[in-house]
Amino acid sequence: MTTATLPLDIGESLAHGIFPERRDVDEPVHDRFARGVLWRLKRRFFPAVPTLRAMAAAAGELEAEIQRQPDQELRRRLLKAAPAAVQAGRAAGLAEVMALVREGARRSLDKRPFDTQLMGAAVLLEGRLAEMQTGEGKTLTAGLAAAIAGAAGLPTHVVTVNDYLARRDCELMQPLFAFFGLTAGVVWATLEHEAKREAYQRPITYCTNQSLVFDYLRDRVAAGGRVSPAQMQARQLHGRLPQPLLLHGLHFAIVDEADSILIDEARTPLILSEKQGEPPDATDYQQALKIAARLKLGEHFGIDAARHSLHFEAAGLPAVREAAEGLGGVWGVARGREHLVGQALRALHLFHRDQHYVVIDGAVQIVDEYTGRVLEGRSWEGGLHQMIEAKEGLDLTEPARTLARITFQRFFCRYLRLAGMTGTAAEVAGELNQVYRLDVVRLPTHKPDQRVTRPARLLRTQGAKWAAVHEAVAGELAAGRPVLVGTRSVRASVALSEELGPRQVHRVLNARQDQEEADIVATAGEPGAVTVATNMAGRGTDIHLADSVIAEGGLAVLLTEFHDSARIDRQLVGRGARQGDPGVALAIVALDDEIFTAHAATLQALFARAFAGDELPGWALALLRRAAQGHAGRLHAAMRRRTLKADRQLDNLLGFAGNQI
């Protein structure tokens, strides 16, 4: 493997460890403030798009001459030009390499990349984040950038949100990489250690964010923390490493669906653990659930719906002590019984089946709040997972011991060059710059947007909402348009499926059918199709429309509940009207939806009293949505800051013991 020649601004920040990575430092407040000011001035007075357009135009001028060259000459020219282009890291110097990979894509994939895709690839090579609308071809955009980086000798990780997309994208781009003499590997969760290691040795590796971070943590645990190359060599000579390391450095990462990975999933750290001991006795867990079931909300405990947290009221702990009298064992210890009953209350009141988790083959599987996907192999800490198993009447699993932990913020900041792409980043551009030093560049669409957005509707109750949704689905089908109905949870998708019933043929796409996703999505654009989906339908997959559907106005996307983040709503709406296709977007929500109850309860109660009838005015919905999503956004941003701060503090404490990750 050829070691990359790194830009000068990166060389100074290399950490002298097992493999190249940035130093993990907490930036001083005044430096962060100054950088933020400069970032805003740069965005305002020095927009990136004109420079990118000029680069794409210059690449177009070279196209005729490059098309006359034989394949071998294209490979030779890219290998010669790529190192300097990547070293410079500026769009102005990328015209030749972009023209070369465009022609390579045309010959190997039978696809000629659009100018906007060349612009997106340039943004990635510059180490920035490209906001490209859904359907604009981000898979090929990442492939172009990865091919140039690979030709320059810069090991590249293309990071996406699930195993299916990692395998699919790698397979789609293999002909392009092979054309230029490059190889690509793909890593997924269940791959064997040696096969993973071989994949990470390739110039280009496709992987998921979860697999990548956990493999990094496994390497750190195997190496005993962050050590010098000399220490590493000594440990290898003395056989103190249980197995060869997987990764060989954090050089260049292209993060697909970057807002989902870098923002939405950054509220909790990733914890590498191992099972230890025997499964606990279920007796104490069942007893805790019985005691918790007798406690009263408002008298013994309180719930903060916005923060998804629970606390004991003044009368709560005495009630727990009284209920535990005579039980013996852990119940005689105040901290033990309070912890058990607290976890039981959380299991009963904060974590709901078919919303926060599903039960598959007798096991509790956590569902990702933002994507609706099952998080394979993940579990809750502190006995909460076992408490939920007890609540569901399942066999309890072994407790886990924490080996290592890290947040996405700290991990991805360790890459020498970090880039990303997504369809929705404008709302969190400030945080992406502050935490990851990523500039967001909003790229134009290849074709004009033809989406028709209808006024959103606010119904008073869930029952009225589902009836209106059913009526809207029937209306769209009568007009010749297939319908994609977005729900926030598995539970909501099941409720809507029951409302549609046998009267309306439909398919359901949620965490229960994760493996069937590709087949379901592939048919969602066919005439007469109705697809009920959780948020998982909004990321990474395209819905192709039949010609007859395009003639009737395209796919209708119906949103039935706003998410905490407006970006997730935009992602779902973006499933329709892609690449200049026609499409319809509409939203039908209820006043008693969870987001309004949790984040705008006062305004919700005011509107409930102020208006009569089943439907409230549109301006009330706009105000309610702005208030709820604004509060949720501020709350979640604060949670991410606290998570990052706590993770850094814990890492510093562990550093004294020589186990710093």
Side-chain angles (χ1 to χ4, degrees), residues 159-163 165 208-209 256-257 260-261 373 539:
V159 187
T160 189
V161 293
N162 64 68
D163 291 338
L165 292 177
T208 68
N209 53 317
D256 192 12
E257 307 297 355
S260 176
I261 294 172
R373 299 181 189 279
R539 313 299 300 219

Side-chain angles (χ1 to χ4, degrees), residues 98-112:
M98 288 298 170
L100 290 168
V101 293
R102 169 186 267 173
E103 180 60 18
R106 190 183 68 81
R107 297 185 187 185
S108 61
L109 303 174
D110 197 25
K111 293 181 179 179
R112 179 187 179 276

Side-chain angles (χ1 to χ4, degrees), residues 187-497:
V187 172
W188 59 90
T190 58
L191 196 63
E192 295 294 330
H193 183 277
E194 191 56 36
K196 281 187 177 182
R197 185 171 178 271
E198 194 276 333
Y200 281 123
Q201 301 304 311
R202 302 286 182 91
I204 302 161
T205 306
Y206 282 77
C207 54
T208 68
N209 53 317
Q210 303 282 344
S211 294
L212 177 63
V213 175
F214 283 124
D215 288 340
Y216 176 85
L217 291 178
R218 291 185 185 97
D219 279 354
R220 288 304 188 188
V221 170
R226 188 179 300 163
V227 297
S228 70
Q231 289 173 312
M232 183 66 199
Q233 200 169 35
R235 292 179 184 183
Q236 287 177 325
L237 288 173
H238 289 85
R240 291 178 58 191
L241 290 178
Q243 54 190 4
L245 298 184
L246 292 166
L247 288 85
H248 61 287
L250 303 181
H251 298 267
F252 179 37
I254 299 173
V255 183
D256 192 12
E257 307 297 355
D259 62 322
S260 176
I261 294 172
L262 303 181
I263 298 295
D264 296 335
E265 298 190 39
R267 285 163 50 189
T268 56
L270 280 84
I271 299 173
L272 180 67
S273 60
E274 66 177 3
K275 299 292 184 181
Q276 61 174 11
E278 297 295 324
D281 187 351
T283 304
D284 288 334
Y285 289 84
Q286 294 293 352
Q287 185 64 52
L289 289 167
K290 291 178 182 178
I291 294 174
R294 296 199 296 265
L295 300 180
K296 297 178 181 179
L297 177 63
E299 179 181 349
H300 299 113
F301 66 96
I303 293 176
D304 185 338
R307 290 175 171 80
H308 199 65
S309 63
L310 181 147
H311 61 274
F312 283 107
E313 300 288 1
L317 296 182
V320 173
R321 183 176 63 250
E322 182 180 348
E325 287 182 1
L327 293 179
V330 70
W331 296 101
V333 181
R335 181 171 295 180
R337 64 175 176 258
E338 291 165 11
H339 176 74
L340 274 172
V341 176
Q343 295 294 55
L345 287 169
R346 293 180 180 90
L348 291 172
H349 299 284
L350 296 183
F351 293 87
H352 305 298
R353 184 169 178 167
D354 291 339
Q355 180 177 358
H356 303 102
Y357 65 92
V358 292
V359 177
I360 301 175
D361 296 331
V364 171
Q365 301 279 355
I366 300 175
V367 175
D368 188 287
E369 174 185 0
Y370 291 93
T371 66
R373 299 181 189 279
V374 168
L375 297 175
E376 297 285 351
R378 300 285 293 275
S379 62
W380 287 292
E381 290 185 284
L384 176 61
H385 202 89
Q386 287 74 22
M387 190 65 72
I388 291 175
E389 289 171 334
K391 181 182 90 169
E392 296 293 340
L394 305 174
D395 293 335
L396 272 56
T397 55
E398 308 97 309
R401 179 174 70 93
T402 298
L403 299 176
R405 55 181 280 159
I406 195 170
T407 60
F408 278 126
Q409 294 102 314
R410 288 181 59 225
F411 173 75
F412 281 106
C413 283
R414 294 182 177 187
Y415 271 93
L416 305 181
R417 184 176 298 188
L418 177 65
M421 54 185 185
T422 183
T424 49
E427 296 90 339
V428 289
E431 184 173 350
L432 287 166
N433 180 265
Q434 183 182 61
V435 176
Y436 301 98
R437 302 191 181 188
L438 278 174
D439 291 334
V440 175
V441 180
R442 197 168 194 174
L443 296 175
T445 57
H446 173 58
K447 295 179 180 179
D449 187 1
Q450 296 190 54
R451 181 181 296 109
V452 175
T453 303
R454 295 184 183 153
R457 298 176 61 190
L458 177 61
L459 282 301
R460 182 173 293 275
T461 65
Q462 294 293 313
K465 176 178 77 172
W466 294 129
V469 168
H470 193 175
E471 182 182 351
V473 169
E476 295 301 324
L477 290 176
R481 289 183 287 272
V483 186
L484 171 65
V485 187
T487 62
R488 184 169 172 175
S489 66
V490 176
R491 178 185 296 179
S493 68
V494 172
L496 177 55
S497 180

Side-chain angles (χ1 to χ4, degrees), residues 59-76:
E61 293 174 358
L62 296 172
E63 189 168 11
E65 181 265 327
I66 286 177
Q67 285 180 346
R68 294 192 294 268
Q69 303 295 324
D71 293 354
Q72 190 60 37
E73 178 62 14
L74 295 187
R75 299 187 193 104
R76 186 195 67 78

Side-chain angles (χ1 to χ4, degrees), residues 127-188:
R128 298 196 281 183
L129 191 148
E131 181 178 279
M132 302 176 68
Q133 296 302 310
T134 301
E136 289 295 302
K138 291 191 287 291
T139 298
L140 180 54
T141 299
L144 299 175
I148 295 170
L154 183 62
T156 301
H157 295 157
V158 183
V159 187
T160 189
V161 293
N162 64 68
D163 291 338
Y164 164 73
L165 292 177
R167 295 184 196 182
R168 184 202 69 180
D169 292 355
C170 183
E171 183 178 349
L172 289 174
M173 292 298 107
Q174 282 283 11
L176 173 64
F177 301 144
F179 181 85
F180 289 109
L182 302 169
T183 59
V186 59
V187 172
W188 59 90

